[in-house]
């Protein structure tokens, strides 16, 4: 291609004006300036693109080193460009000036050859070292124009084309190698996938065999089930016939039973009349017996000179429990059995003259431990007052305490409140209360303490857990 080519569209406006001037001068010249007007001079050779770019780069490098008066007017503005813009934006103007101005080319050639050293001298002599870059040789030959410089440019073009062809061949070889590598990789992946598919096929075949076996078993089970269903249907029909006969028999028996019931009701009416008459006789006899026993009891009380009492056994313990040590059990431990049945408490409280003894803190801390001790005592004593009022039983609640608490509200009617003294626990005081009771009186002790339950059981009391009392209070 010629050395000149259209300049860059990105060239600034002022730079385009300078370059357009240089190109206009080149277009107006019919022959090269160094041809001397000889029409036999050969035209400019077509330069390979790398050679053209190298010529422009060499000229752009030495352009600022030229004196200002030696720089052509169209290139003076280009000479002021930055180094990285000079060869790129000023390439059209530089190429045109090198073609049209032999003197400018000679000045540029002198500085380029000086910078090239031995390679420049060899090119001036018309020879080129074998190891030299053909592009560099062609660029220097174009500028210096020694004898045979066109052959050097042609040789450089052939070398560039050969290098380009080699690069293309190398690229094709590389692409072929890449395709071969990818094909080998694809074959390896295909082999792995084939192995996986074979394994999957073997697994599917195995599962298919299992499914076929399960299908055969299910078919066999279905046939057996259908057989059993037919037998069950036949048996059901038979049983329905038997049930119909049995229903008829039952209806007949029911009619007979109703007849007997009518007879029995008639007999019962007669018996009730007889029983009423007999009960009247028994009531008269019982009244006479009770009257006799009452008169005998009055006589016996008069004979023993027994005065009415205003204190119960527990009152004696309450008066003297801090001064008197514990005594031996008063009787055999054969009066009670342990039970946690909540209904058991109601049964025991229904006994005549029952005495309910409560381990206070054991119950309150289990039922409403989130309250303060004062609130716990008040809530328990209030609930026990309701039980005492409902049942009429004697109720005693015992709390641990070194001294009796002051400022307590008055206890409800029928409820006795005791605090253990120094050196004695509430458990010991409860056992003393139980021992003080006469043999045969029902004493119920409420405590979830196993030691307390075992101790009072030995003295004949009925131990119950704290939950039974808490549920009784909740129900009230």
């Amino acid at each position: 291609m010629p050395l000149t080519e259209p300049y860059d569209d990105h060239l600034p406006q002022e730079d385009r004006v300078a370059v357009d001037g240089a190109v206009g001068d080149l277009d107006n010249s019919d022959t090269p300036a160094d041809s001397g007007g000889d029409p036999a001079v050969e035209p400019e050779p077509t330069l390979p693109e790398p050679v053209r770019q190298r010529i422009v780069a060499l000229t752009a490098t030495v352009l600022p080193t030229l004196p200002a008066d030696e720089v052509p007017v169209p290139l003076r503005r280009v000479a002021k460009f930055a180094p990285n813009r000079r060869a790129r934006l000023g390439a059209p103007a530089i190429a045109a000036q090198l073609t049209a101005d032999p003197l400018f080319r000679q000045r540029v050639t002198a500085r380029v050859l000086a910078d090239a050293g031995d390679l420049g001298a060899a090119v001036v002599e018309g020879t080129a070292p074998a190891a030299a870059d053909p592009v560099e040789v062609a660029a220097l030959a174009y500028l210096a124009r020694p004898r045979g410089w066109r052959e050097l440019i042609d040789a450089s073009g052939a070398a560039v084309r050969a290098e380009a062809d080699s690069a293309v061949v190398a690229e094709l070889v590389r692409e072929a190698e890449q395709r071969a590598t990818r094909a080998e990789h694809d074959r390896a992946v295909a082999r792995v996938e084939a192995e996986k598919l074979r394994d999957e096929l073997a697994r599917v075949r195995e599962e298919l065999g299992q499914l076929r076996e399960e299908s055969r078993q299910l078919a066999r089970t279905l046939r057996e089930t259908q057989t059993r269903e037919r037998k069950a249907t036949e048996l059901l029909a038979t049983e329905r016939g038997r049930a119909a006969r049995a229903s008829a028999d039952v209806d007949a028996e029911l009619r007979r039973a109703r007849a007997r019931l009518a007879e029995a009701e008639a007999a019962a009416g007669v018996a009730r009349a007889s029983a009423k008459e007999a009960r009247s006789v028994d009531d008269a006899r019982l009244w006479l017996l009770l009257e006799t026993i009452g008169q005998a009891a009055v006589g016996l009380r008069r004979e023993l000179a027994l005065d009415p009492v205003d204190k119960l056994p527990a009152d004696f313990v309450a008066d003297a429990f801090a001064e008197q040590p514990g005594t031996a059990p008063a009787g055999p431990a054969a009066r009670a059995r342990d039970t946690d049945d909540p209904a058991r408490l109601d049964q025991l409280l229904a006994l005549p003259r029952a005495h309910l003894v409560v381990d206070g803190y054991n119950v309150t801390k289990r039922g409403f431990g989130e309250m303060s001790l004062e609130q716990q005592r008040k809530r328990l004593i209030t609930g026990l007052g309701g039980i005492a009022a409902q049942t009429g039983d004697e109720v005693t609640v015992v709390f641990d305490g070194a001294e009796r608490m002051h400022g307590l509200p008055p206890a409800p009617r029928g409820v006795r409140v005791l605090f253990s003294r120094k050196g004695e626990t509430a458990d010991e005081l409860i056992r003393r209360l139980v021992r003080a009771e006469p043999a045969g009186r029902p004493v119920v002790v409420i405590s979830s303490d196993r030691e307390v339950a075992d101790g009072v059981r030995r003295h004949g009391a009925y131990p119950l857990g704290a939950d039974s009392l808490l549920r009784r209070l909740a129900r009230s």
Side-chain angles (χ1 to χ4, degrees):
M1 63 180 63
L3 181 60
T4 60
E5 63 179 12
Y7 51 86
D8 196 336
D9 292 339
H10 300 285
L11 189 65
Q13 183 63 30
E14 62 274 11
D15 297 341
R16 290 183 182 181
V17 173
V19 174
D20 289 342
V23 175
D25 294 341
L26 180 59
D27 293 340
N28 292 330
S29 60
D30 297 333
T31 58
D34 60 348
S35 64
D38 187 1
V41 176
E42 297 181 3
E44 289 290 315
T46 300
L47 299 177
E49 181 61 21
V51 176
R52 189 193 67 80
Q53 293 178 358
R54 183 57 181 163
I55 293 171
V56 173
L58 291 174
T59 305
T61 302
V62 302
L63 188 61
T65 64
L66 296 175
D69 56 348
E70 295 181 0
V71 178
V73 175
L75 295 182
R76 289 178 182 177
R77 185 179 299 274
V78 176
K80 298 178 182 180
F81 290 173
N84 59 342
R85 299 178 59 202
R86 193 178 304 130
R88 179 169 57 86
L89 299 180
I94 292 172
Q97 199 64 35
L98 288 174
T99 304
D101 191 350
L103 179 59
F104 170 67
R105 186 175 67 248
Q106 291 175 3
R107 290 170 179 171
V108 171
T109 302
R111 283 171 172 75
V112 170
L113 291 177
D115 295 337
D118 295 339
L119 179 59
V123 171
V124 171
E125 295 176 359
T127 61
D133 184 4
V135 175
E136 188 73 17
V137 171
L140 294 176
Y142 177 81
L143 293 173
R145 302 207 174 185
R147 185 181 300 276
W149 63 279
R150 293 179 181 275
E151 287 77 6
L152 292 176
I153 292 176
D154 293 339
S156 174
V160 170
R161 287 190 294 273
E163 184 177 355
D165 294 340
S166 299
V168 171
V169 171
E171 180 65 21
L172 293 175
V173 171
R174 185 178 63 81
E175 292 178 356
E177 291 177 350
Q178 290 179 352
R179 287 195 296 270
T181 302
R182 286 196 297 269
E184 184 63 27
H185 177 266
D186 293 341
R187 282 195 296 272
V189 172
R191 285 195 295 269
V192 173
E193 292 296 331
E195 291 295 332
K196 291 182 179 179
L197 290 176
R198 281 194 289 270
D199 295 341
E200 184 69 17
L201 179 59
R203 185 183 63 80
V204 170
R205 286 176 177 174
E206 182 179 356
E207 291 181 356
L208 180 59
Q210 294 177 356
L211 290 175
R212 287 175 177 172
E213 181 63 25
E214 292 178 359
S215 177
R216 287 193 292 270
Q217 293 179 358
L218 290 175
R220 185 168 53 254
T221 304
L222 178 61
R223 290 192 297 271
E224 294 175 355
T225 302
Q226 291 174 348
T227 302
R228 288 196 297 268
E229 183 180 2
R230 287 193 298 272
K231 293 181 178 178
T233 303
E234 296 173 356
L235 182 61
L236 178 61
T238 303
E239 292 298 327
R240 283 177 177 173
R242 293 178 180 176
R245 291 192 296 271
S247 177
D249 296 341
V250 168
D251 291 340
E253 183 65 25
L254 180 60
R255 288 191 294 271
R256 289 193 293 270
R258 286 174 177 172
R260 290 195 296 270
L261 177 59
E263 297 175 356
E265 287 177 349
V270 175
R272 278 196 297 272
S274 301
K276 184 175 181 180
E277 183 179 355
R279 188 164 56 252
S280 300
V281 175
D282 292 339
D283 289 345
R285 293 176 179 175
L286 181 58
W287 183 84
L288 292 174
L289 178 60
L290 290 176
E291 190 68 19
T292 302
I293 292 174
Q295 294 177 2
V298 171
L300 183 60
R301 186 182 297 114
R302 188 183 304 112
E303 182 70 21
L304 296 178
L306 294 177
D307 296 329
V309 297
D310 57 355
K311 297 181 70 175
L312 298 172
D315 295 326
F316 290 97
V317 176
D319 293 340
F321 69 89
E323 292 81 7
Q324 298 178 358
T327 59
R335 295 188 302 175
R337 292 183 301 170
D338 189 14
T339 176
D340 288 329
D341 187 1
R344 183 63 172 164
L345 177 60
D346 293 334
Q347 297 175 357
L348 294 174
L349 293 179
L351 297 175
R353 300 297 298 166
H355 185 187
L356 177 64
V357 181
V358 180
D359 187 352
Y361 287 139
N362 184 271
V363 175
T364 61
K365 291 181 179 180
R366 187 177 182 90
F368 22 88
E370 70 279 359
M371 300 181 179
S372 64
L373 293 180
E374 180 181 359
Q375 292 174 335
Q376 293 179 20
R377 292 192 297 269
K378 183 177 180 180
R379 181 169 178 177
L380 177 61
I381 293 172
T382 302
L384 292 176
I387 293 178
Q390 293 173 4
T391 62
D393 295 331
E394 179 183 1
V395 179
T396 303
V397 56
V398 180
F399 295 102
D400 282 308
E403 297 293 341
R404 181 179 179 85
M405 300 295 176
H406 298 286
L408 287 174
R413 182 180 181 86
V415 179
R416 182 186 299 107
V417 181
L418 300 179
F419 289 86
S420 62
R421 296 293 181 87
K422 185 176 181 180
E424 186 178 27
T425 64
D427 300 349
E428 296 173 350
L429 180 55
I430 290 172
R431 285 192 287 270
R432 293 184 60 187
L433 288 168
V434 173
R435 290 197 300 267
E437 294 294 340
R441 184 184 185 186
V443 180
V444 182
V445 178
I446 303 296
S447 177
S448 294
D449 190 332
R450 179 56 58 186
E451 184 178 355
V452 173
D454 294 340
V456 299
R457 185 186 294 107
R458 287 193 295 269
H459 299 299
Y462 298 94
L464 294 178
D467 290 338
S468 61
L469 177 60
L470 290 171
R471 293 175 183 175
R472 178 65 173 80
L473 293 175
R475 191 174 69 232
S476 299

